């Protein structure tokens, strides 16, 4: 019986397997053949690698170039060379190997290789950013191709563990990179002029026991942000990333704080106005926090024309104290987690929410403002008997007016220009927004006469932080 089966195998299956083997070897030989035709050239994911703007004196993140072989035979790059005029600014890694020049780099049929580039940008000796260019030259089958590299370097003042013990006025000539901390001691005032930029390193923080004054203007905002430049991955810029630095803390007893046209972003703990502090914010933008974008604890806080947005725990939390918010936008489309709390949250506002501090209950007056985004808009529904009032506000919730909610626009999408899935966060209102005419000019404060862009609100103010529209 065994002999019969073996004989059938020899007669039928063996020739078929032999044919398959021959075809396989033939195909392999074809694939392994190197294409030497000058018309056989690589394709590149970009002809210009725009790395972006970075601080001089520190290495940039890596940028990636893909080199494709779209052909059916092996492609041999006879030479790949980095050319940057001998400056040594750029470094190159080709398919896992570091160096400036490579020979006979092969790419399998219908395959690709990675080329990574980073840079250590030299100081410019000037407040102005300086551009540096380099080139990657490819020689394939006698034909040359070049990919250009462009990076911009910005000189920066590096500040370590700084204490402000007397009044100081910094300048805006160059950005500051803050390591460790800035602490403004009691009795001292730190003034940041129009256009000043403070970029905080990982875990750095700013704490104010004295006073902080910022003098931003529509065309020259003051900025407190993280120090990471460029994109995290793909099209997501570090500008959208929280937890790059700790945040801004107005310590108990801090007085005389006034922030104008100021951006605070990329924090892990946002902006905190602590017990007994007094803070005025005019046309400020607080966003991208892993905690709250803004929190007040038994503080006296005035918000005029401010955007408070995009935070993991909620945009704004107020516990006790006195809060006035006029023409503000409270929104939450935070990218990296689902909202863990309402967009606007209140505590210590009545006996049921008493925090045991013995301090007065919250007094809050929110007018001509917008509360909208992912999750719940407001943490407390029944405010009867409290001193918390929302007047002429646009709300996500479906509800009805009463003594605490006065002439509000309920269950209405204000139609922000924001497109979360495209990583575009702009809280101005579209021209077709149903909320455009809901604000009451009689409630517009002198502090909010113009928005962050300098646009006058009167005589027909829009609700929220921005009179400017799209």
């Amino acid at each position: 019986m065994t002999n019969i089966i073996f004989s059938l195998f020899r007669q039928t299956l063996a020739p078929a397997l032999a044919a398959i083997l021959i075809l396989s070897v033939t195909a392999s030989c074809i694939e392994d053949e190197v294409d030497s035709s000058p018309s056989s050239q690589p394709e590149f994911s970009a002809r210009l690698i725009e790395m972006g703007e970075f601080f001089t004196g520190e290495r940039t993140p890596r940028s990636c170039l893909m080199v494709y072989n779209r052909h059916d035979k092996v492609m041999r790059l006879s030479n790949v060379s980095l050319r940057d005029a001998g400056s040594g600014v750029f470094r190159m890694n080709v398919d896992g190997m570091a160096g400036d020049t490579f020979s006979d780099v092969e790419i399998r049929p219908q395959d690709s290789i990675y080329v990574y580039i980073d840079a250590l940008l030299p100081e410019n000796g000037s407040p102005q950013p300086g551009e540096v260019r380099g080139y990657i030259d490819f020689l394939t089958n006698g034909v040359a191709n070049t990919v250009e590299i462009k990076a911009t370097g910005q000189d920066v003042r590096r500040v370590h563990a700084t204490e402000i013990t007397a009044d100081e006025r910094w300048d805006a000539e160059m950005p500051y990179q803050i390591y460790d901390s800035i602490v403004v001691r009691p009795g001292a005032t730190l003034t940041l002029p129009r256009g000043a930029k403070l970029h905080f390193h990982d875990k750095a923080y700013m704490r104010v026991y004295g006073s902080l004054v910022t003098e931003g203007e529509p065309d020259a905002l003051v900025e407190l942000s993280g120090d990471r430049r460029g994109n995290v991955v793909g099209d997501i810029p570090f500008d959208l990333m929280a937890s790059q630095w700790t945040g801004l803390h107005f310590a108990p007893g801090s007085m005389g704080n006034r922030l104008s046209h100021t951006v605070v972003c990329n924090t892990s703990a946002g902006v905190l106005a602590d017990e007994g502090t007094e803070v005025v914010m005019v046309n400020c933008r607080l966003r991208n926090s892993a905690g709250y974008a803004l929190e007040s604890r038994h503080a006296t806080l005035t918000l005029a024309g401010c955007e408070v947005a995009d935070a993991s725990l909620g945009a704004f939390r107020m516990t006790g104290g006195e809060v006035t918010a006029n023409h503000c936008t409270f929104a939450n489309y935070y990218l990296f987690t689902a909202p863990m709390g309402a967009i606007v949250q209140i505590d210590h506002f009545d006996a049921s929410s008493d925090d045991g501090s013995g301090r007065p209950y919250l007094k809050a007056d929110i007018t001509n403002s917008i509360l909208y985004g992912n999750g719940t808009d407001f943490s407390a529904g029944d405010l009867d008997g409290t001193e918390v009032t929302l007047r002429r506000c646009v709300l996500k919730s479906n509800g009805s007016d009463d003594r605490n909610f006065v002439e509000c626009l309920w269950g209405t999408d204000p139609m922000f220009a924001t497109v979360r899935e495209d990583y575009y966060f702009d809280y101005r209102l579209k021209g077709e927004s149903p909320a455009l005419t809901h604000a009451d000019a009689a409630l517009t404060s002198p502090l909010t006469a113009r928005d962050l862009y300098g646009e006058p609100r009167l005589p027909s103010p829009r609700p929220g932080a921005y009179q400017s529209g799209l």
Side-chain angles (χ1 to χ4, degrees):
M1 185 66 176
T2 302
N3 290 336
I4 293 172
I5 294 173
F6 181 71
S7 176
L8 288 172
F9 173 81
R10 290 175 58 190
Q11 294 176 28
T12 58
L13 296 180
L17 289 174
I20 293 171
L21 179 61
I22 291 169
L23 289 172
S24 176
V25 170
T26 302
S28 177
C29 290
I30 292 172
E31 289 182 357
D32 287 341
E33 184 180 347
V34 176
D35 192 338
S36 59
S37 170
S39 64
S40 179
Q41 294 298 311
E43 290 186 13
F44 305 96
S45 57
R47 285 288 186 162
L48 172 63
I49 303 173
E50 295 194 72
M51 299 183 69
E53 183 174 310
F54 302 93
F55 297 143
T56 59
E58 60 186 39
R59 193 157 293 282
T60 69
R62 295 193 305 178
S63 294
C64 178
L65 172 72
M66 297 291 296
V67 185
Y68 301 97
N69 176 9
R70 303 297 193 190
H71 305 277
D72 295 327
K73 295 181 181 180
V74 172
M75 178 179 291
R76 180 174 293 155
L77 312 179
S78 53
N79 188 265
V80 181
S81 298
L82 174 62
R83 172 166 51 98
D84 65 349
S87 67
V89 168
F90 298 101
R91 293 191 311 188
M92 180 171 66
N93 183 298
V94 176
D95 209 24
M97 300 292 291
D100 291 336
T101 302
F102 300 86
S103 299
D104 298 330
V105 178
E106 293 190 350
I107 310 177
R108 301 286 297 171
Q110 304 299 328
D111 204 349
S112 61
I113 61 171
Y114 292 91
V115 177
Y116 291 105
I117 294 291
D118 65 13
L120 182 61
L121 300 171
E123 292 188 1
N124 303 315
S126 165
Q128 301 304 315
E131 189 176 279
V132 182
R133 292 179 181 263
Y135 305 88
I136 308 174
D137 296 320
F138 297 85
L139 184 63
T140 309
N141 299 331
V143 178
N145 285 282
T146 297
V147 172
E148 187 176 3
I149 315 163
K150 183 174 73 173
T152 302
Q154 170 67 63
D155 285 358
V156 63
R157 294 187 179 98
R158 292 184 167 87
V159 176
H160 294 264
T162 297
E163 291 199 1
I164 309 297
T165 57
D167 292 354
E168 286 192 28
R169 182 183 182 86
W170 289 11
D171 63 49
E173 186 177 9
M174 289 192 300
Y176 295 81
Q177 187 177 26
I178 312 300
Y179 290 85
D180 308 311
S181 61
I182 300 175
V183 177
V184 182
R185 289 299 176 190
T189 298
L190 174 62
T191 302
L192 303 177
R194 64 189 305 274
K197 297 184 185 299
L198 277 60
H199 300 290
F200 291 78
H201 198 60
D202 183 36
K203 297 182 177 60
Y205 62 90
M206 184 171 188
R207 184 166 294 128
V208 180
Y209 294 93
S211 304
L212 174 65
V213 175
T214 66
E215 300 174 340
E217 295 178 3
D219 63 340
L221 304 180
V222 172
E223 181 179 336
L224 282 68
S225 66
D227 67 353
R228 302 293 299 275
R229 308 289 93 189
N231 290 346
V232 185
V233 63
D235 295 327
I236 304 177
F238 273 108
D239 181 59
L240 298 180
M241 297 294 292
S243 298
Q244 294 187 47
W245 62 292
T246 302
L248 172 60
H249 180 200
F250 295 99
S254 175
M255 307 288 281
N257 300 289
R258 183 183 175 92
L259 278 61
S260 178
H261 294 79
T262 298
V263 177
V264 185
C265 60
N266 313 133
T267 65
S268 58
V271 177
L272 170 60
D274 220 330
E275 294 189 13
T277 62
E278 292 185 0
V279 183
V280 176
M281 297 185 184
V282 178
N283 292 334
C284 291
R285 180 180 287 155
L286 316 177
R287 57 163 62 174
N288 299 335
S289 174
Y292 298 104
L294 174 63
E295 184 178 7
S296 66
R297 299 175 186 162
H298 302 289
T300 301
L301 179 64
T302 300
L303 302 175
C306 293
E307 173 196 314
V308 183
D310 302 331
S312 179
L313 298 183
F316 179 30
R317 181 180 180 85
M318 43 187 151
T319 300
E322 295 188 23
V323 176
T324 302
N326 182 238
H327 280 289
C328 290
T329 294
F330 303 102
N332 204 357
Y333 289 93
Y334 187 67
L335 269 176
F336 306 104
T337 63
M340 297 183 187
I343 296 169
V344 174
Q345 304 168 29
I346 62 174
D347 201 4
H348 194 70
F349 58 94
D350 62 5
S352 68
S353 59
D354 195 310
D355 65 3
S357 65
R359 290 180 171 272
Y361 292 143
L362 173 67
K363 294 181 180 180
D365 187 26
I366 302 174
T367 52
N368 285 353
S369 294
I370 300 173
L371 288 72
Y372 201 88
N374 291 338
T376 306
D377 56 353
F378 195 65
S379 66
D382 184 8
L383 299 177
D384 188 42
T386 73
E387 294 188 73
V388 177
T389 305
L390 286 80
R391 294 180 288 159
R392 296 296 284 242
C393 290
V394 180
L395 302 170
K396 180 180 180 180
S397 298
N398 291 305
S400 58
D401 288 347
D402 56 24
R403 191 181 71 83
N404 300 94
F405 294 91
V406 180
E407 296 183 291
C408 289
L409 188 59
W410 296 89
T412 301
D413 184 346
M415 299 181 67
F416 298 129
T418 291
V419 184
R420 185 174 182 267
E421 55 270 25
D422 291 339
Y423 315 120
Y424 180 72
F425 296 86
D426 187 330
Y427 290 106
R428 289 177 288 179
L429 304 184
K430 295 179 181 178
E432 61 269 30
S433 168
L436 289 180
T437 61
H438 189 66
D440 183 352
L443 297 176
T444 298
S445 158
L447 290 176
T448 58
R450 292 179 180 269
D451 73 1
L452 180 139
Y453 294 94
E455 186 78 14
R457 294 188 194 275
L458 299 175
S460 303
R462 295 180 173 185
Y466 302 113
Q467 184 71 15
S468 309
L470 292 177

